[in-house]
Amino acid sequence: MRSSELNLRLSQLAASYHKQTMRKRLQIAHLLIQEAHRCILQIRDELRESQTATQRRKAKERETATDPKPPVKPVRVAEPTKPKKPKYSGNHAPSARR
């Protein structure tokens, strides 16, 4: 339904509102409230879905984005060295004379 049609129907309802019985007025008000509530819930769900999709898309962009600034110096990895034998000063071996 277009908004112009809805406006026309609501204005017709407002014009004939005073001719309605109290029971009929309550039914109309109840229906209007129910439909408004359904519309609000539907809009909220659509907004939540679009926000979730946007968050997913932004997270994926962050994951796949490259660093805008390359490192200033290349990273160097030290080469492993051969372990050296310990140097002893004096004779501290267990078989040494005392």
Side-chain angles (χ1 to χ4, degrees), residues 3-18:
S3 62
S4 59
E5 291 177 37
L6 183 60
N7 283 333
L8 179 65
R9 302 282 184 197
L10 288 173
S11 62
Q12 289 172 351
L13 178 66
S16 66
Y17 190 72
H18 65 284

Side-chain angles (χ1 to χ4, degrees), residues 75-92:
V75 179
R76 294 183 184 176
V77 178
E79 293 182 19
T81 57
K82 186 176 179 182
K84 295 180 182 178
K85 292 182 181 178
K87 294 181 181 178
Y88 294 108
S89 59
N91 194 1
H92 297 287

Side-chain angles (χ1 to χ4, degrees), residues 34-88:
Q34 279 183 334
E35 287 307 313
H37 183 69
R38 284 186 197 142
C39 289
I40 290 170
L41 290 178
Q42 185 177 1
I43 289 171
R44 187 176 64 183
D45 288 343
E46 289 172 2
L47 284 174
R48 185 181 299 139
E49 289 173 4
S50 68
Q51 287 175 349
T52 304
T54 302
Q55 288 173 352
R56 257 191 247 119
R57 187 173 58 250
K58 286 182 179 179
K60 189 169 185 174
E61 287 174 4
R62 281 193 303 268
E63 287 176 359
T64 58
T66 57
D67 192 9
K69 295 181 182 179
V72 178
K73 296 179 181 177
V75 179
R76 294 183 184 176
V77 178
E79 293 182 19
T81 57
K82 186 176 179 182
K84 295 180 182 178
K85 292 182 181 178
K87 294 181 181 178
Y88 294 108

Side-chain angles (χ1 to χ4, degrees), residues 18-42:
H18 65 284
K19 297 176 188 175
Q20 308 278 335
T21 63
M22 182 58 77
R23 182 179 174 91
K24 188 71 170 174
R25 288 179 193 173
L26 285 173
Q27 287 176 344
I28 291 170
H30 185 69
L31 286 173
L32 288 171
I33 291 170
Q34 279 183 334
E35 287 307 313
H37 183 69
R38 284 186 197 142
C39 289
I40 290 170
L41 290 178
Q42 185 177 1

